[in-house]
Amino acid sequence: MADPTRRQPAEPAPAEAPETPEAPEPTEAVAPAEAAATAAEAGPLAGWTIGITAARRADELAALLQRRGADVLRAPALRIVPLADDGELHTATRALIADPPDLAVATTGIGFRGWLEAADGWDLGEDLRAALGRAAVLARGPKAKGAIRAAGLRESFSAATESSAEVLSHLLDQGVDGRRIAVQLHGAPLPGFVESLRTAGADVVEVPVYRWLPPADPGPLDRLLDAVCTGAIDAVTFTSAPAAISLLERAAERGRTEELLHALRRDVLAVCVGPVTAAPLDALDVPTVWPERMRLGAMVQTLTAALPARSRPLPVAGHTLELRGRAALVDGLLRPVPPAGMALLRTLAHRPGWVVPRADLLRALPGSGDDEHAVESAMARLRQSLGAPGLITTVVKRGYRLSLDH
């Protein structure tokens, strides 16, 4: 698994004092201690913004993140379309009742339950359960296994890795030549899986229970894409491979693929529920993190550990400064910083202790034009937001620098 916490070595602070004398620092308004919460009080994810691409269980995921202090940007990357009235599903169900399978593969809990519910709606539920009861039923993971048991059936195998590849390997190892296999699809075709079984001699019946499609309203997904590309978001979560693929496809449609990949490779943490979900991103050399247990809560715990690890504490003017997405930690106190101020602070922190010219800082400001007075105004607000004097030094006629301790 790639390590997204790896940072480039910081440039050393200059050994000698700047050639131009430094100006006396302006008087800074220091906020009272009670105005800033400690990191522990605000939550381990306070100051960061996290994107959610999930369609299902998005409320649960958002609540888990918000309880840890994060801001959340929700943008379903796909929608699930049930096929209870679909003729293809009805035809597959009748075919399996008429000629029961030797083996059946349940790939998702929601899909397997949906299949049985659709069969009940057609008054075929008892017949379908009877047909499946004579088969060896395999589960891709614990959710599918739970749905199998809820139907009054028992699984003969459950993949420990929760991957279709493990199920396929198990089937091929035991031999499928001449055997009839029902494969419940999980939102998209499984061509490699199905064709491997057919090549090995199996008679495969595909069961399309639901389909993943792009969101009906692409607006939220576009806003998430823009936020990732511009660095306005700190992490993005994926709970299914199709969600990752949908975001990549939307970026391609808008001509922003390179921007998206650049951001995900450098600044925005991609957090996945498991390696299967991460596969489309891994194939494009995007670093990802995922938990050992492929569960929503475990993914949030992994995110909670990985995101703070990307922020390097800096010793500045006798204080400890740590940058977060929309805030700074100063001696453990969370200080919200306006977007313009964060742009300046990130530019200064990129080369702590070095003088950064006003022109470079002006380019970092969003929509600032060519007036360097915008830097002075934004710098004044930044100093006030940080609430501690002396963190940023003005170097006359040259620019500003973080007062890195030596």
Side-chain angles (χ1 to χ4, degrees):
M1 178 172 63
D3 181 8
T5 66
R6 185 171 61 236
R7 309 287 291 188
Q8 295 297 320
E11 299 183 48
E16 299 179 359
E19 295 176 3
T20 308
E22 297 176 355
E25 292 305 310
T27 302
E28 300 182 25
V30 179
E34 63 269 20
T38 66
E41 292 168 342
L45 295 178
W48 279 298
T49 303
I50 299 167
I52 295 177
T53 61
R56 294 181 55 249
R57 303 181 68 189
D59 290 342
E60 180 183 351
L61 178 54
L64 288 171
L65 294 170
Q66 289 167 340
R67 281 203 294 269
R68 289 162 173 79
D71 275 355
V72 169
L73 179 60
R74 295 174 57 161
L78 45 83
R79 57 193 166 104
I80 296 174
V81 179
L83 301 181
D85 298 325
D86 188 85
E88 191 177 350
L89 175 60
H90 188 266
T91 298
T93 301
R94 283 197 171 277
L96 290 168
I97 291 171
D99 185 3
D102 303 299
L103 299 154
V105 178
T107 57
T108 62
I110 184 176
F112 193 77
R113 286 193 299 271
W115 183 18
L116 294 173
E117 288 169 3
D120 286 335
W122 299 322
D123 292 327
L124 297 174
E126 289 187 13
D127 292 338
L128 177 59
R129 287 177 179 83
L132 295 175
R134 292 192 287 273
V137 185
L138 295 82
R140 188 172 66 99
K143 293 179 182 178
K145 180 171 69 175
I148 291 168
R149 294 188 177 184
L153 305 170
R154 298 293 295 185
E155 76 285 352
S156 64
F157 172 81
S158 180
T161 60
E162 303 183 32
S163 70
S164 298
E166 185 180 349
V167 176
L168 177 61
S169 178
H170 176 80
L171 288 169
L172 295 178
D173 286 346
Q174 74 176 31
V176 296
D177 188 23
R179 310 194 79 184
R180 185 167 170 82
I181 305 176
V183 178
Q184 173 248 311
L185 305 180
H186 57 82
L190 296 170
F193 187 94
V194 170
E195 288 175 9
S196 294
L197 293 175
R198 285 177 175 155
T199 299
D203 171 23
V204 180
V205 178
E206 297 178 71
V207 182
V209 181
Y210 59 91
R211 212 169 269 140
W212 280 318
L213 297 175
D217 176 11
L221 187 60
D222 284 344
R223 287 190 287 275
L224 175 64
L225 175 59
D226 293 340
V228 173
C229 290
T230 59
I233 201 167
D234 305 290
V236 58
T237 60
F238 300 95
T239 56
S240 70
I245 293 170
S246 179
L247 180 62
L248 292 166
E249 289 178 345
R250 186 59 180 168
E253 290 171 5
R254 297 183 58 202
R256 305 202 71 173
T257 296
E258 289 306 315
E259 293 174 85
L260 173 65
L261 294 179
H262 179 78
L264 291 174
R265 289 167 181 161
R266 289 175 55 89
D267 302 317
V268 180
L269 178 64
V271 186
C272 301
V273 77
V276 174
T277 297
L281 298 171
D282 291 341
L284 296 170
D285 296 323
V286 171
T288 57
V289 295
W290 63 81
E292 290 185 8
R293 292 186 70 252
M294 288 164 269
R295 299 291 180 274
L296 213 59
M299 182 182 72
V300 171
Q301 291 175 355
T302 296
L303 169 58
T304 303
L307 196 52
R310 292 161 61 92
S311 181
R312 179 166 56 98
L314 296 170
V316 181
H319 301 274
T320 299
L321 174 67
E322 182 180 332
L323 275 61
R324 296 192 171 186
R326 54 182 174 79
L329 278 182
V330 181
D331 298 331
L333 292 179
L334 189 73
R335 300 283 184 176
V337 176
M342 283 305 303
L344 295 181
L345 190 55
R346 288 191 183 283
T347 305
L348 294 171
H350 183 66
R351 301 184 69 188
W354 290 73
V355 177
V356 180
R358 283 181 174 82
D360 291 352
L361 293 169
L362 181 62
R363 282 192 292 271
L365 282 177
S368 59
D370 55 5
D371 184 2
E372 289 193 0
H373 290 295
V375 174
E376 297 175 9
S377 300
M379 190 63 70
R381 290 191 292 271
L382 170 60
R383 283 171 161 152
Q384 185 169 3
S385 298
L386 294 175
L391 297 181
I392 301 172
T393 301
T394 303
V395 182
V396 176
K397 298 182 180 180
R398 293 182 61 194
Y400 299 88
R401 69 178 179 89
L402 279 182
S403 303
L404 194 70
D405 295 336
H406 297 290

